[in-house]
Amino acid sequence: MKILVTGATGKLGSKVVEALLKTIPASDLAVSVRNPEKAEGLRARGVEVRQGDFDQLESLDNAFAGIDRLLIISADGDNDTRTRQHANAVAAAERAGVKFIAYTSLADATESKNIFAPTHVATEAAIIKTGIPYSFLRNNWYLENEMGGIQGAIAGAPWVTSAGTGKVGWSLQQDYAEAAAAVLVGNGHENTVYELSGPLLTQEELATALGAVLGKEIPVQQVNDEKYAEIMKGLGVPDFAIPIVVGIQESIRNGSLEVESNDFEKVLGRPITPINEALTQIVHAISQSK
């Protein structure tokens, strides 16, 4: 059985690959990457490295040839670009005769008002249409997405948000990666939808947990979207990204990530990393990178 992971040199993809290599021989694993030179380390360990670009159909046909089980990790970019690229990948999987597709989707995708939901709705529908057995890994929110706020808090800044009392099921990318690996190598995951969500927390609760890790109180500054945009711009967020970061706050405020589920634990076969421990890991990683 040959498993392939797309986007394998990215932050999530590289963690999925490492999780897989703990359970399967390298010869059973292939990766599809836009720039193969970035995956030379994997090649040296016996992983088959294939060039695959979601905008180049021929490259995807070559990348997916002979693959049994495929993980499509959602791409970066605006919704239109991602939707087009994902459709290309799904079509290539169908042409290649892939037998199982796992896809990193979004919490409550088909019902979600989240800014990123349209891409995931379209991609899930495209996968279902192929008739290929699938598993939708509806990832809630990576704790690593809050890296900027965590770094600011370490430096003494308040926790700034316009998300109100909206709750989020944060978890480490490592947990999401191990869940994806478990689905790829496990049995009984055909035609499943997993809501992978950690315990739900508000911004205040997250800031309190971070304060406990840092040993200090972190003030929370609740602002409106306009003020949030102004503050983010002042922190150096580029103009094109301002509507995205504001849209994320609005999506959280509107409850789009407030999804309660124990699917994470079911898939992992263990509890997810507790929030204090997860924050400790991130704080340690920040201190190590200085």
Side-chain angles (χ1 to χ4, degrees), residues 70-209:
L70 169 67
L71 174 63
I72 298 176
I73 292 181
S74 52
D76 293 326
D78 62 77
N79 281 352
D80 289 344
T81 301
R82 298 167 84 209
T83 301
R84 184 190 72 247
Q85 291 179 335
H86 294 179
N88 289 344
V90 172
E94 186 174 17
R95 288 194 299 272
V98 168
K99 297 178 184 67
F100 177 83
I101 299 174
Y103 168 64
T104 59
S105 189
L106 175 73
D108 199 26
T110 43
E111 305 300 320
S112 180
K113 302 291 186 285
N114 192 284
I115 184 175
F116 299 123
T119 290
H120 298 294
V121 172
T123 306
E124 287 190 6
I127 291 170
I128 290 170
K129 195 175 174 187
T130 65
I132 298 169
Y134 62 84
S135 182
F136 298 148
L137 310 173
R138 289 184 171 174
N139 293 352
N140 191 290
W141 213 240
Y142 305 141
L143 189 57
E144 286 85 348
N145 291 347
E146 310 302 339
M147 195 73 86
I150 294 169
Q151 288 172 319
I154 291 170
W159 189 269
V160 180
T161 180
S162 66
T165 57
K167 293 184 176 182
V168 180
W170 284 286
S171 192
L172 287 172
Q173 276 183 339
Q174 185 63 37
D175 284 337
Y176 290 108
E178 289 181 20
V183 165
L184 284 169
V185 301
N187 297 315
H189 297 294
E190 286 73 23
N191 303 333
T192 53
V193 178
Y194 294 119
E195 293 288 349
L196 302 179
S197 176
L200 298 177
L201 301 172
T202 62
Q203 302 287 320
E204 269 89 357
E205 288 167 336
L206 182 65
T208 298

Side-chain angles (χ1 to χ4, degrees), residues 213-232:
V213 168
L214 297 177
K216 64 178 182 179
E217 190 174 333
I218 297 167
V220 176
Q221 192 176 339
Q222 287 277 6
V223 297
N224 61 26
D225 287 342
E226 291 72 26
K227 181 66 176 174
Y228 187 81
E230 191 183 304
I231 292 169
M232 290 301 108

Side-chain angles (χ1 to χ4, degrees), residues 33-49:
V33 290
R34 193 180 300 149
N35 302 308
E37 64 275 9
K38 290 185 178 176
E40 283 305 318
L42 292 175
R43 196 193 302 276
R45 293 163 67 186
V47 174
E48 186 179 349
V49 176

